[in-house]
Amino acid sequence: MTITFTLNDRSVTVDVEPSTLVSELLRDTLELTGTHVGCDTSQCGACVIHLNGESVKSCTLLAGSVDGQELRTVEGLAGGTDDLHPMQVAFRDNHGLQCGFCTPGMLMSSIDLVNRNPDPTEEEVREWLEGNICRCTGYQNIVKSVIAGAQALRDASRGDDHA
Amino acid sequence: MPEVVGVGASPKRKEDLRFVTGHGNYVADIKRPNMSFGVFLRSPHAHALIRSIDTSEALEQPGVKAVFTGEDMKADNVGGLPVGWGISGKDGNPMKEPPHPPIALGKVRYVGDAVAFVVAETVEQAEAAAELIEVDYETLPHVVGAVEALQPGAPQIYDEVPGNLCCDWDLGDCAAVDAAFETATHVTSIDLVNQRLVGNPMEPRAAIGEYDAANGQHTLWTTSQFPHVVRLLMGEMVLGIPQHKLRVVAPDVGGGFGVKQFHYAEEAVVTWAATKLGGAVKWVCQRSEGFISDAHGRDHVTQAELALDTDGKFLAMRVRTYANMGGYLSTFGPNIPTNLYAPLLSGVYVIPSIYCEVKVVFTNTVPVDAYRGAGRPEATFVVERLVDTAALEMGIDKFEIRKRNMIPTESYPYQTPVLVEYDSGDPLGCLERSMELADVAGFAERRSASEANGKYRGLGVSTYVEACGLAPSRLAGQLGARGGLYESANVRVHPSGAVTVLIGTHNHGQGHETTFAQIVSERLGVPFENIDIVFGDTDKVQFGMGTYGSRSLVVGGSALNKASDKIILKGRKIAAHQFEAALEDVIFEKGEFSVSGTDKKKSFPEIAGAAYVPFDFPLETLEPGLEEQAFYDPVNFTYPGGAHICEVEIDPDTGVVRLDRYTAVDDVGTIINPMIVEGQLQGGIVQGVGQALFEHGVYDEQSGQLLSGSFMDYCMPRADNFPDFTIKPHSTTCTHTPMGVKGCGECGTIGSPAAVINAVVDALRPLGVSHVDMPASPNRIWNIINNSGARAAAE
């Protein structure tokens, strides 16, 4: 089947099998390998992307179902390496990653949280990230990163208001 | 302005930009020309004879290129997977070391043992074809526990290993221990299970083999912590590929924790299959497949006794451990519960005599090998549960008994009765600092508050000592190591003065690209951004033993430091020539060569330039260029240590143990990057708490199946299980590493399980509980509470 959707602000038309998962489509066909696959039971969250602005596990989403929808992956967060999303900056600044494998999913989940709740508490961050497993960091610096990222986004939006 | 970023700074990590933007390069991300895909058919039985394998239908399926079995590899003279460390038993005889074919030959020995490898144009085609392979199994009785496997009449896993006993090993002076126990006023005895764990780095394993027939060149991309060792073991011992014709690349690797420090069958199979088929063959492990094919960790059953005198001073310790090896010996399997376990049983205490015997046993389970801490968390758990239980039994405060028996700081270097000599440490300082930070004094009040809410609160402490950077090679060789334990670093100074470091360790989360650049920046005065660290490719890096056992900074960093010394010496020789000064008058400081007492100065880039444009250069006595290499073989282990204090609150209605406070004070020696060290400790503590509260690789005795075989069943620690931790360094300087570093990668995992379980036992002490096995899961705790009778009485 042929599907057309928006991926990181660009229109994509591609043939997929009915059984193809979005994670497979992104990684194998479109060669966007920033979205990772860390399990086969939809538990680890390494594959989280945004579907119409909300976080979803791309390993449980059939490619056929995203026809006409809008997707964003970790590769679509930054304008360039010197124009990172504030959440990417926050993860870097706060040592919110070690091996980097869970990081794309962590970023996509965290940005969705902050979109819904611009000023989350530490407890809210920890609860929200329950579906993203990290084996390296012990989570403390991820939580710190998300809170710092949220602060940066609030500051940026205040800046926009003033402008 | 580019700046020097040296020791003690916490710059942003160099590696992070590619990771936060989704541009990491993991093995599963790699595509090669003419690449096909392989899947393994694995045994559903714990123990069975393979009567026959019919691959004919699978071979007829669309896209299928080949189906390989163990017999095919045997016919091609492929060897078995080697063991990197051989041990010898009490009787002096070497361990039993049966062959370990990459694909099973004639018999399967655990659920997950590989039976066939299918290669097709797509993964889906290979998976579909694998289902059509007909294997005629004759199932045999199986055994999954180490103690059970030693029972008379237990199923025999190998004809050549009577009673399934791989090795009956011991360490220490048995007679001295027996004599000390005779004189004891008190003996504390405990039975412990250190449960099986599945390491689960977030990136599943993967491997791509490729063969370039025109050049006779083989390449393996693999999720490995030690590509050079894989090249050596697989090339020389399994496939017979000469070293210069085999390139092994371990690019970005998504966590290791020991799980990726073994030479795995899949690496050999894809490399061999690519040679047979041409082009590239890729295998990516599914998580559920990883649960039954990644080497597991721990799995000890232990009986331990501590003899004490009237004052609660330790006299002797006696330990007997049954260590489960699984169905085959993994690369370092037999070394972990022996040489990396018993020598740590002295902990941070003066214990005049110690005797430990370990029965190393085959079972019908996934092979067991090193997992973060590897032997040392098991030893610490034994020591700290013994000490805590002894305190309780003798009515001595848990901190007091520890202080009373600690090695005094002035007694370092301290020779333990179990081989190792600790060079430095301050256990009392660590303990006292942790008690302050944890507000031990305020615990009674917090416990009362919990009780008022119907909750149980407990406080637990654990001290620990760790042994990092397994060394030296000569001693390790005497203990059975079959390879060296040094590390190598090459410092390549470019004509501009920028530096590329080629190092044999492997970075898979530890931040080496940052920490090692800080060392070079500090030593050579080169701006941090002008230094790159290269690792993980045997065609680029000269040699290396890789990353495990918290060795990277201790051994690799020391090699880097030594290579930097050589660069400085050569730079001084060049400068001396240009200054027309004596070598001993030329000093190098903060990136500048100068002659003392004069205004003659040359910058590091100027000297680097002169080395490559040698017009004003002592060509008669010195070669042009500025590149130096060093191999460093340590003189001893390093011994980080510390004290961890944990506070838990238990809800009797649910049995949930909530970690409320966690304080860690660790002596990791000189700290190069405080941010990275704290991150290592945070992650390590969570892995240790994972063992204490959540994780368990459970085998069903009846079926031999791994019951906790997915993230649905195996409880991984998650963000909402933890508070923020309080982590502070309390360092003494290592006396024998050039920078005084000790390592920090495993400290958290070693110190935390006993601290948590001691806290859980402390919380449940009012119910008469004296021991709780790991994991202290809600189910286990709820049952303890509800079966204690105390609850019914209270209600």
Side-chain angles (χ1 to χ4, degrees):
Chain A
M1 60 195 291
T2 302
I3 58 169
T4 299
F5 60 99
T6 305
L7 175 61
N8 298 334
D9 305 315
R10 298 170 74 167
S11 180
V12 175
T13 299
V14 64
D15 283 329
V16 297
E17 295 294 320
S19 62
T20 303
L21 299 167
V22 171
S23 53
E24 294 166 345
L25 169 65
L26 292 170
R27 290 182 51 81
D28 302 339
T29 310
L30 302 175
E31 302 195 352
L32 288 179
T33 54
T35 298
H36 296 154
V37 177
C39 76
D40 45 12
T41 52
S42 287
Q43 291 283 304
C44 80
C47 69
V48 170
I49 61 166
H50 287 179
L51 171 64
N52 302 325
E54 295 189 353
S55 54
V56 291
K57 288 180 173 171
S58 64
C59 73
T60 42
L61 200 61
L62 286 168
S65 71
V66 301
D67 189 36
Q69 314 290 306
E70 195 175 309
L71 299 189
R72 187 172 300 279
T73 68
V74 68
E75 291 94 342
L77 288 180
T81 49
D82 52 1
D83 182 22
L84 298 182
H85 185 283
M87 195 60 81
Q88 292 172 308
V89 173
F91 270 68
R92 262 194 106 181
D93 285 351
N94 293 284
H95 192 24
L97 64 151
Q98 289 183 20
C99 81
F101 195 80
C102 76
T103 309
M106 286 288 179
L107 286 166
M108 301 314 281
S109 290
S110 302
I111 291 167
D112 187 20
L113 167 66
V114 175
N115 286 342
R116 292 162 194 255
N117 177 359
D119 190 8
T121 63
E122 183 199 320
E123 197 180 342
E124 286 168 339
V125 174
R126 286 185 179 274
E127 273 180 24
W128 181 264
L129 293 178
E130 200 261 351
N132 292 77
I133 305 177
C134 169
R135 195 52 149 168
C136 296
T137 64
Y139 301 104
Q140 185 162 327
N141 286 343
I142 291 177
V143 175
K144 198 170 151 193
S145 301
V146 176
I147 287 172
Q151 174 76 49
L153 283 159
R154 288 200 305 280
D155 291 349
S157 85
R158 264 199 294 279
D160 290 347
D161 291 346
H162 289 303
Chain B
M1 178 71 185
E3 287 178 2
V4 168
V5 178
V7 172
S10 295
K12 285 181 205 174
R13 297 200 320 169
K14 282 176 174 280
E15 44 271 81
D16 286 351
L17 189 59
R18 66 180 186 270
F19 294 138
V20 297
T21 55
H23 292 103
N25 180 38
Y26 301 89
V27 175
D29 302 340
I30 295 170
K31 275 189 178 175
R32 298 294 304 168
N34 188 20
M35 185 165 82
S36 44
F37 296 85
V39 301
F40 286 89
L41 179 70
R42 295 182 183 276
S43 169
H45 302 295
H47 198 195
L49 296 173
I50 300 170
R51 285 192 185 127
S52 65
I53 303 177
D54 181 355
T55 60
S56 55
E57 202 180 344
L59 278 165
E60 286 166 13
Q61 299 307 305
V64 172
K65 294 184 169 183
V67 181
F68 297 115
T69 66
E71 296 294 343
D72 296 325
M73 296 189 85
K74 184 183 171 194
D76 208 31
N77 292 319
V78 173
L81 302 177
V83 181
W85 197 300
I87 55 168
S88 295
K90 290 173 187 172
D91 55 8
N93 290 325
M95 67 183 188
K96 301 283 195 303
E97 194 174 346
H100 184 179
I103 300 180
L105 274 173
K107 197 180 192 192
V108 290
R109 292 184 172 85
Y110 63 92
V111 174
D113 207 351
V115 177
F117 185 60
V118 184
V119 185
E121 287 166 15
T122 69
V123 177
E124 294 75 18
Q125 288 170 339
E127 283 171 347
E131 288 187 15
L132 298 172
I133 298 172
E134 298 238 356
V135 185
D136 185 8
Y137 291 107
E138 179 185 330
T139 57
L140 301 168
H142 59 264
V143 61
V144 296
V147 175
E148 293 74 15
L150 290 179
Q151 297 303 310
Q156 289 298 289
I157 297 165
Y158 290 95
D159 293 341
E160 64 269 42
V161 185
N164 302 316
L165 184 62
C166 169
C167 190
D168 190 3
W169 184 93
D170 72 349
L171 180 68
D173 187 340
C174 184
V177 167
D178 288 347
F181 270 80
E182 290 294 319
T183 68
T185 36
H186 184 84
V187 172
T188 290
S189 305
I190 54 172
D191 291 327
L192 299 173
V193 175
N194 203 296
Q195 83 273 30
R196 178 178 289 248
L197 300 178
V198 185
N200 285 322
M202 291 318 296
E203 177 206 26
R205 288 189 297 122
I208 304 170
E210 187 174 74
Y211 183 56
D212 167 8
N215 292 298
Q217 182 70 34
H218 304 259
T219 305
L220 168 69
W221 288 264
T222 179
T223 50
S224 179
Q225 300 175 215
F226 60 177
H228 289 87
V229 180
V230 171
R231 183 179 66 161
L232 183 66
L233 296 179
M234 183 180 85
E236 293 294 325
M237 300 182 190
V238 184
L239 299 179
I241 302 171
Q243 298 286 284
H244 64 294
K245 289 296 183 189
L246 174 59
R247 175 186 178 200
V248 178
V249 186
D252 285 327
V253 170
F257 314 113
V259 174
K260 296 172 181 167
Q261 72 167 77
F262 318 124
H263 169 40
Y264 280 100
E266 294 87 351
E267 296 171 322
V269 173
V270 296
T271 306
W272 177 78
T275 314
K276 296 277 120 187
L277 300 172
V281 176
K282 181 176 189 175
W283 165 77
V284 179
C285 192
Q286 302 286 303
R287 178 63 63 184
S288 50
E289 183 183 17
F291 268 97
I292 54 167
S293 62
D294 292 356
H296 292 175
R298 318 284 193 256
D299 205 343
H300 288 195
V301 175
T302 295
Q303 299 152 352
E305 296 168 284
L306 183 65
L308 302 97
D309 71 11
T310 326
D311 299 326
K313 294 274 255 183
F314 306 156
L315 300 173
M317 183 189 286
R318 188 189 280 138
V319 177
R320 169 180 281 197
T321 291
Y322 299 83
N324 195 331
M325 282 290 102
Y328 300 91
L329 294 182
S330 176
T331 311
F332 297 115
N335 188 45
I336 308 305
T338 52
N339 287 314
L340 291 186
Y341 169 68
L344 275 297
L345 284 170
S346 191
V348 295
Y349 305 111
V350 175
I351 308 177
S353 54
I354 297 173
Y355 179 67
C356 175
E357 54 182 347
V358 182
K359 294 189 189 302
V360 181
V361 187
F362 286 108
T363 65
N364 294 115
T365 61
V366 170
V368 178
D369 206 320
Y371 168 60
R372 198 173 193 174
R376 292 148 289 170
E378 295 93 314
T380 302
F381 194 68
V382 170
V383 174
E384 291 295 312
R385 286 294 301 130
L386 263 181
V387 169
D388 231 47
T389 308
L392 197 62
E393 289 174 354
M394 294 188 73
I396 304 172
D397 173 75
K398 56 179 159 258
F399 294 103
E400 174 55 28
I401 197 169
R402 287 176 165 89
K403 289 179 183 174
R404 214 175 273 179
N405 287 283
M406 270 177 177
I407 303 163
T409 309
E410 60 273 18
S411 297
Y412 288 85
Y414 178 79
Q415 176 65 53
T416 72
V418 272
L419 282 181
V420 295
E421 185 187 83
Y422 305 148
D423 67 289
S424 58
D426 180 16
L428 182 63
C430 288
L431 183 66
E432 287 181 336
R433 181 89 178 102
S434 70
M435 289 173 71
E436 282 165 32
L437 289 166
D439 184 26
V440 170
F443 171 70
E445 206 170 303
R446 293 191 293 276
R447 177 178 256 179
S448 301
S450 293
E451 281 170 359
N453 287 323
K455 308 262 175 70
Y456 299 107
R457 180 176 284 264
L459 182 145
V461 59
S462 173
T463 65
Y464 72 94
V465 66
E466 125 95 304
C468 296
L470 196 48
S473 292
R474 191 184 298 115
L475 173 68
Q478 288 163 9
L479 294 175
R482 293 170 178 172
L485 293 161
Y486 47 81
E487 196 45 79
S488 86
N490 184 88
V491 175
R492 180 176 297 162
V493 181
H494 301 285
S496 63
V499 173
T500 300
V501 171
L502 307 153
I503 194 157
T505 52
H506 191 278
N507 182 23
H508 37 275
Q510 299 88 340
H512 297 170
E513 288 164 63
T514 304
T515 303
F516 289 157
Q518 286 178 251
I519 292 172
V520 174
S521 190
E522 166 101 16
R523 292 298 321 277
L524 303 185
V526 174
F528 180 67
E529 67 176 58
N530 294 353
I531 303 160
D532 268 359
I533 310 296
V534 173
F535 62 92
D537 185 338
T538 60
D539 267 11
K540 293 181 183 167
V541 177
Q542 56 289 348
F543 200 72
M545 302 310 291
T547 285
Y548 56 86
S550 305
R551 73 188 300 277
S552 300
L553 178 61
V554 171
V555 192
S558 297
L560 180 54
N561 193 63
K562 197 173 159 191
S564 301
D565 285 340
K566 293 185 182 179
I567 292 286
I568 292 168
L569 178 60
K570 184 165 182 183
R572 285 174 56 228
K573 287 179 181 170
I574 300 167
H577 174 86
Q578 297 197 344
F579 293 147
E580 296 177 345
L583 177 61
E584 52 273 22
D585 293 334
V586 175
I587 52 173
F588 179 67
E589 215 173 48
K590 294 186 176 153
E592 217 163 49
F593 296 91
S594 60
V595 180
S596 42
T598 74
D599 59 356
K600 289 179 178 174
K601 281 179 186 172
K602 292 271 181 188
S603 69
F604 186 79
E606 284 177 293
I607 294 297
Y612 288 94
V613 187
F615 298 158
D616 183 11
F617 193 94
L619 283 168
E620 298 73 19
T621 54
L622 209 57
E623 293 172 11
L626 193 53
E627 174 166 349
E628 295 288 348
Q629 186 161 300
F631 278 61
Y632 174 80
D633 200 291
V635 299
N636 190 356
F637 281 101
T638 62
Y639 299 96
H644 289 199
I645 295 180
C646 170
E647 223 169 292
V648 300
E649 191 179 65
I650 298 177
D651 182 342
D653 291 333
T654 60
V656 169
V657 177
R658 187 175 66 82
L659 196 71
D660 186 51
R661 290 162 165 244
Y662 199 98
T663 306
V665 174
D666 303 281
D667 174 0
V668 299
T670 304
I671 294 174
I672 309 293
N673 183 315
M675 174 188 82
I676 287 175
V677 168
E678 187 167 353
Q680 287 293 308
L681 284 157
Q682 289 167 349
I685 290 166
V686 161
Q687 264 176 311
V689 177
Q691 169 164 29
L693 296 182
F694 309 117
E695 301 179 36
H696 194 179
V698 182
Y699 271 98
D700 179 37
E701 284 177 29
Q702 295 302 313
S703 65
Q705 300 288 328
L706 179 67
L707 296 180
S708 47
S710 80
F711 285 157
M712 307 282 279
D713 313 289
Y714 186 93
C715 186
M716 293 284 279
R718 294 175 191 247
D720 58 348
N721 299 132
F722 300 93
D724 276 2
F725 306 145
T726 302
I727 296 171
K728 298 288 177 199
H730 179 88
S731 283
T732 60
T733 304
C734 177
T735 59
H736 59 81
T737 53
M739 296 175 288
V741 296
K742 295 189 180 182
C744 70
E746 296 163 292
C747 292
T749 319
I750 294 169
S752 55
V756 175
I757 293 299
N758 285 344
V760 170
V761 172
D762 186 53
L764 299 179
R765 211 176 46 174
L767 306 180
V769 172
S770 59
H771 181 66
V772 174
D773 273 326
M774 299 187 289
S777 60
N779 177 44
R780 182 169 274 158
I781 297 299
W782 190 89
N783 275 307
I784 288 172
I785 293 171
N786 283 276
N787 294 331
S788 71
R791 188 128 197 258
E795 281 176 358

